[in-house]
Amino acid sequence: MGQGGESRRVQAYDGELGVAVARAQEGDEAAFAAAYRIVQPGLLGYLRGIVGDDAEDVASDAWLEIARDLGRFRGDGAGFRGWTATIARHRALDHLRRLKVRPRATVLEQDVLELPGTHSTDDQALETLSTEYALELVARLPRDQAEAVLLRVVVGLDGPAAARVLGKRPGAVRTAAYRGLKSLARLLGAEGVTDEGPRTLGESR
């Protein structure tokens, strides 16, 4: 599948998303709801990787701003995905500044997923990125790598769009995403099923 597989599945909705956004800008509330349904899962996954359990609150703040400024948006479905990610990132960084904490991971569910075997690959790492467990692993990556992976795979942005969200050059974001995926594959391969139950990032046992 490669790095773009999950992203391509996300981007498959961009045509539908573009139509929904255009109608929403004309005041169609049902179209806005449709755009929300398409974008929200990836946006929420991205925010979970940054602010952990506060992701839904931050997403709510972001959507208030998205709804308020919708009339100023210009672009297609892919552009809307990038625009909403930029807004969500700003709200997340504001939230972290208020808390004066580093990005933190979510608390794991005990039965989130059955871990892959020892032959973990980048592809398997990508396949599991929609899970709470994988998001917790992503939160262990350096910040630039974590955000690059989340934007490319979970939100579904291409390289240039992810670079615009992060305010970096596409090459730097490409490198960060590549390194993050390699590290994620190693983490998935090194983790084993234990009966210790869930723990939060940085918690010692």
Side-chain angles (χ1 to χ4, degrees):
M1 180 184 65
Q3 180 173 328
E6 183 70 22
S7 298
R8 282 194 293 273
R9 282 199 289 273
V10 173
Q11 293 161 359
Y13 292 102
D14 281 347
E16 178 185 346
L17 177 58
V19 172
V21 170
R23 289 178 179 166
Q25 289 180 311
E26 296 169 357
D28 186 332
E29 292 183 9
F32 184 82
Y36 172 87
R37 283 193 300 272
I38 293 171
V39 172
Q40 173 69 351
L43 208 61
L44 197 57
Y46 172 55
L47 289 172
R48 280 185 182 135
I50 303 176
V51 301
D53 292 338
D54 296 329
E56 292 195 10
D57 290 340
V58 174
S60 295
D61 290 343
W63 278 105
L64 287 173
E65 184 174 339
I66 291 163
R68 184 192 72 201
D69 295 342
L70 184 63
R72 294 194 296 205
F73 169 73
R74 297 291 179 270
D76 57 9
F80 184 74
R81 206 181 288 283
W83 182 67
T84 56
T86 300
I87 291 174
R89 183 172 192 263
H90 289 161
R91 296 289 70 78
L93 295 180
D94 287 345
H95 177 78
L96 292 173
R97 276 192 289 269
R98 284 195 300 271
L99 292 179
K100 292 184 172 63
V101 297
R102 293 168 64 93
R104 57 192 172 81
T106 56
V107 176
L108 299 182
E109 297 292 337
Q110 290 192 9
D111 56 351
V112 165
L113 90 150
E114 187 173 328
L115 294 175
T118 55
H119 300 293
S120 294
T121 63
D122 292 358
D123 286 354
Q124 286 172 305
L126 293 173
E127 289 291 347
T128 60
L129 270 175
S130 61
T131 69
E132 294 290 328
Y133 178 77
L135 289 173
E136 192 268 347
L137 291 183
V138 170
R140 298 185 195 179
L141 299 175
R143 175 69 175 272
D144 63 328
Q145 294 180 20
E147 284 206 73
V149 169
L150 290 165
L151 287 171
R152 292 297 307 275
V153 181
V154 178
V155 180
L157 301 184
D158 61 19
R164 283 193 295 272
V165 172
L166 296 173
K168 296 182 178 181
R169 291 186 299 189
V173 174
R174 228 179 2 255
T175 299
Y178 174 80
R179 290 176 176 166
L181 288 169
K182 287 290 185 186
S183 297
L184 185 61
R186 282 196 299 272
L187 285 170
L188 284 167
E191 293 287 329
V193 178
T194 72
D195 57 4
E196 293 180 5
R199 61 187 179 93
T200 54
L201 184 63
E203 177 183 325
S204 59
R205 287 204 173 267

